[in-house]
mmCIF file of all heavy atoms in Angstrom:
data_model
loop_
_atom_site.group_PDB
_atom_site.id
_atom_site.type_symbol
_atom_site.label_atom_id
_atom_site.label_comp_id
_atom_site.label_asym_id
_atom_site.label_seq_id
_atom_site.Cartn_x
_atom_site.Cartn_y
_atom_site.Cartn_z
ATOM 1 N N GLN A 115 -1.712 -3.942 6.587
ATOM 2 C CA GLN A 115 -1.935 -4.850 7.709
ATOM 3 C C GLN A 115 -0.736 -4.732 8.657
ATOM 4 O O GLN A 115 0.363 -4.362 8.223
ATOM 5 C CB GLN A 115 -2.030 -6.313 7.233
ATOM 6 C CG GLN A 115 -3.201 -6.579 6.296
ATOM 7 C CD GLN A 115 -3.278 -8.047 5.877
ATOM 8 O OE1 GLN A 115 -2.278 -8.621 5.427
ATOM 9 N NE2 GLN A 115 -4.451 -8.644 6.028
ATOM 10 N N GLY A 117 1.800 -6.886 10.132
ATOM 11 C CA GLY A 117 2.231 -8.253 9.811
ATOM 12 C C GLY A 117 1.538 -8.730 8.544
ATOM 13 O O GLY A 117 0.900 -7.939 7.829
ATOM 14 N N CYS A 118 1.669 -10.012 8.262
ATOM 15 C CA CYS A 118 1.028 -10.567 7.063
ATOM 16 C C CYS A 118 0.895 -12.084 7.218
ATOM 17 O O CYS A 118 1.780 -12.731 7.775
ATOM 18 C CB CYS A 118 1.851 -10.243 5.818
ATOM 19 S SG CYS A 118 1.027 -10.751 4.294
ATOM 20 N N ALA A 119 -0.212 -12.606 6.711
ATOM 21 C CA ALA A 119 -0.469 -14.051 6.853
ATOM 22 C C ALA A 119 -0.072 -14.849 5.611
ATOM 23 O O ALA A 119 -0.207 -16.066 5.590
ATOM 24 C CB ALA A 119 -1.950 -14.266 7.144
ATOM 25 N N MET A 120 0.430 -14.166 4.583
ATOM 26 C CA MET A 120 0.589 -14.839 3.285
ATOM 27 C C MET A 120 1.842 -15.712 3.194
ATOM 28 O O MET A 120 1.963 -16.549 2.310
ATOM 29 C CB MET A 120 0.594 -13.799 2.151
ATOM 30 C CG MET A 120 -0.738 -13.085 1.981
ATOM 31 S SD MET A 120 -2.026 -14.220 1.460
ATOM 32 C CE MET A 120 -3.368 -13.718 2.481
ATOM 33 N N ASP A 121 2.784 -15.466 4.054
ATOM 34 C CA ASP A 121 3.943 -16.353 4.217
ATOM 35 C C ASP A 121 4.814 -16.523 2.965
ATOM 36 O O ASP A 121 5.349 -17.617 2.727
ATOM 37 C CB ASP A 121 3.439 -17.735 4.710
ATOM 38 C CG ASP A 121 4.566 -18.539 5.350
ATOM 39 O OD1 ASP A 121 5.538 -17.930 5.828
ATOM 40 O OD2 ASP A 121 4.475 -19.787 5.347
ATOM 41 N N CYS A 122 4.946 -15.465 2.177
ATOM 42 C CA CYS A 122 5.851 -15.540 1.017
ATOM 43 C C CYS A 122 7.273 -15.777 1.560
ATOM 44 O O CYS A 122 7.704 -15.108 2.507
ATOM 45 C CB CYS A 122 5.808 -14.252 0.210
ATOM 46 S SG CYS A 122 4.160 -13.857 -0.383
ATOM 47 N N PHE A 124 10.277 -15.259 0.625
ATOM 48 C CA PHE A 124 11.378 -14.304 0.475
ATOM 49 C C PHE A 124 11.158 -13.044 1.320
ATOM 50 O O PHE A 124 11.946 -12.113 1.276
ATOM 51 C CB PHE A 124 11.504 -13.882 -1.009
ATOM 52 C CG PHE A 124 10.172 -13.533 -1.615
ATOM 53 C CD1 PHE A 124 9.605 -12.296 -1.396
ATOM 54 C CD2 PHE A 124 9.478 -14.464 -2.374
ATOM 55 C CE1 PHE A 124 8.370 -11.986 -1.921
ATOM 56 C CE2 PHE A 124 8.236 -14.161 -2.914
ATOM 57 C CZ PHE A 124 7.681 -12.917 -2.680
ATOM 58 N N CYS A 125 10.070 -12.993 2.099
ATOM 59 C CA CYS A 125 9.633 -11.720 2.681
ATOM 60 C C CYS A 125 9.868 -11.666 4.189
ATOM 61 O O CYS A 125 9.497 -12.585 4.919
ATOM 62 C CB CYS A 125 8.146 -11.539 2.380
ATOM 63 S SG CYS A 125 7.446 -10.084 3.160
ATOM 64 N N LEU A 126 10.457 -10.549 4.625
ATOM 65 C CA LEU A 126 10.750 -10.383 6.048
ATOM 66 C C LEU A 126 9.476 -10.123 6.855
ATOM 67 O O LEU A 126 9.350 -10.571 7.992
ATOM 68 C CB LEU A 126 11.744 -9.212 6.212
ATOM 69 C CG LEU A 126 12.352 -8.977 7.588
ATOM 70 C CD1 LEU A 126 13.060 -10.211 8.112
ATOM 71 C CD2 LEU A 126 13.320 -7.812 7.535
ATOM 72 N N THR A 127 8.528 -9.408 6.269
ATOM 73 C CA THR A 127 7.262 -9.136 6.978
ATOM 74 C C THR A 127 6.583 -10.446 7.362
ATOM 75 O O THR A 127 6.015 -10.579 8.445
ATOM 76 C CB THR A 127 6.305 -8.311 6.083
ATOM 77 O OG1 THR A 127 6.990 -7.167 5.596
ATOM 78 C CG2 THR A 127 5.075 -7.873 6.849
ATOM 79 N N ALA A 128 6.663 -11.425 6.439
ATOM 80 C CA ALA A 128 5.987 -12.711 6.667
ATOM 81 C C ALA A 128 6.483 -13.381 7.943
ATOM 82 O O ALA A 128 5.736 -14.087 8.620
ATOM 83 C CB ALA A 128 6.215 -13.629 5.473
ATOM 84 N N MET A 164 2.167 -1.332 -0.946
ATOM 85 C CA MET A 164 3.124 -2.430 -1.076
ATOM 86 C C MET A 164 3.924 -2.595 0.203
ATOM 87 O O MET A 164 4.984 -3.200 0.208
ATOM 88 C CB MET A 164 4.138 -2.130 -2.189
ATOM 89 C CG MET A 164 3.611 -2.212 -3.573
ATOM 90 S SD MET A 164 4.947 -2.021 -4.760
ATOM 91 C CE MET A 164 4.022 -1.850 -6.271
ATOM 92 N N GLY A 165 3.466 -1.966 1.280
ATOM 93 C CA GLY A 165 4.185 -2.075 2.538
ATOM 94 C C GLY A 165 3.854 -3.390 3.223
ATOM 95 O O GLY A 165 3.693 -4.424 2.576
ATOM 96 N N MET A 166 3.731 -3.345 4.553
ATOM 97 C CA MET A 166 3.420 -4.584 5.272
ATOM 98 C C MET A 166 1.991 -5.012 4.965
ATOM 99 O O MET A 166 1.068 -4.198 4.977
ATOM 100 C CB MET A 166 3.566 -4.338 6.777
ATOM 101 C CG MET A 166 4.970 -3.938 7.190
ATOM 102 S SD MET A 166 5.029 -3.249 8.855
ATOM 103 C CE MET A 166 4.679 -4.712 9.787
ATOM 104 N N GLY A 167 1.833 -6.312 4.698
ATOM 105 C CA GLY A 167 0.488 -6.863 4.541
ATOM 106 C C GLY A 167 0.061 -7.062 3.106
ATOM 107 O O GLY A 167 0.677 -6.565 2.171
ATOM 108 N N GLU A 168 -1.019 -7.831 2.952
ATOM 109 C CA GLU A 168 -1.631 -8.091 1.645
ATOM 110 C C GLU A 168 -2.896 -7.231 1.570
ATOM 111 O O GLU A 168 -3.898 -7.520 2.245
ATOM 112 C CB GLU A 168 -1.954 -9.595 1.519
ATOM 113 C CG GLU A 168 -2.959 -9.969 0.449
ATOM 114 C CD GLU A 168 -2.609 -9.475 -0.943
ATOM 115 O OE1 GLU A 168 -1.503 -9.743 -1.428
ATOM 116 O OE2 GLU A 168 -3.472 -8.809 -1.564
ATOM 117 N N THR A 200 -0.760 -6.941 -5.042
ATOM 118 C CA THR A 200 -1.263 -8.167 -4.418
ATOM 119 C C THR A 200 -0.352 -9.347 -4.721
ATOM 120 O O THR A 200 0.302 -9.388 -5.768
ATOM 121 C CB THR A 200 -2.696 -8.484 -4.897
ATOM 122 O OG1 THR A 200 -3.119 -9.725 -4.315
ATOM 123 C CG2 THR A 200 -2.789 -8.606 -6.413
ATOM 124 N N CYS A 201 -0.363 -10.311 -3.799
ATOM 125 C CA CYS A 201 0.405 -11.535 -4.039
ATOM 126 C C CYS A 201 -0.390 -12.514 -4.894
ATOM 127 O O CYS A 201 0.130 -13.567 -5.272
ATOM 128 C CB CYS A 201 0.812 -12.181 -2.720
ATOM 129 S SG CYS A 201 -0.571 -12.835 -1.777
ATOM 130 N N SER A 221 2.371 -9.502 -7.673
ATOM 131 C CA SER A 221 3.679 -10.039 -7.332
ATOM 132 C C SER A 221 3.734 -11.486 -7.837
ATOM 133 O O SER A 221 3.142 -12.380 -7.247
ATOM 134 C CB SER A 221 3.816 -9.958 -5.799
ATOM 135 O OG SER A 221 5.077 -10.328 -5.398
ATOM 136 N N MET A 234 5.507 -18.975 -2.828
ATOM 137 C CA MET A 234 4.318 -18.246 -2.387
ATOM 138 C C MET A 234 3.166 -19.231 -2.134
ATOM 139 O O MET A 234 2.499 -19.684 -3.086
ATOM 140 C CB MET A 234 3.922 -17.221 -3.464
ATOM 141 C CG MET A 234 5.048 -16.263 -3.810
ATOM 142 S SD MET A 234 4.619 -15.093 -5.100
ATOM 143 C CE MET A 234 3.562 -13.959 -4.217
ATOM 144 N N GLY A 341 9.769 -6.247 0.479
ATOM 145 C CA GLY A 341 9.795 -7.462 1.290
ATOM 146 C C GLY A 341 10.696 -7.390 2.508
ATOM 147 O O GLY A 341 10.988 -8.395 3.123
HETATM 148 S S1 SF4 B 1 5.405 -10.251 0.076
HETATM 149 FE FE1 SF4 B 1 3.564 -9.095 0.644
HETATM 150 S S2 SF4 B 1 1.922 -10.652 0.646
HETATM 151 FE FE2 SF4 B 1 3.863 -11.783 0.704
HETATM 152 S S3 SF4 B 1 4.225 -12.124 2.906
HETATM 153 FE FE3 SF4 B 1 5.298 -10.221 2.331
HETATM 154 S S4 SF4 B 1 3.856 -8.586 2.836
HETATM 155 FE FE4 SF4 B 1 2.694 -10.507 2.746
#
Side-chain angles (χ1 to χ4, degrees):
Q115 297 181 309
C118 186
M120 294 295 137
D121 199 25
C122 302
F124 46 80
C125 175
L126 189 56
T127 308
M164 288 186 190
M166 299 165 69
E168 162 55 54
T200 177
C201 68
S221 186
M234 304 178 75

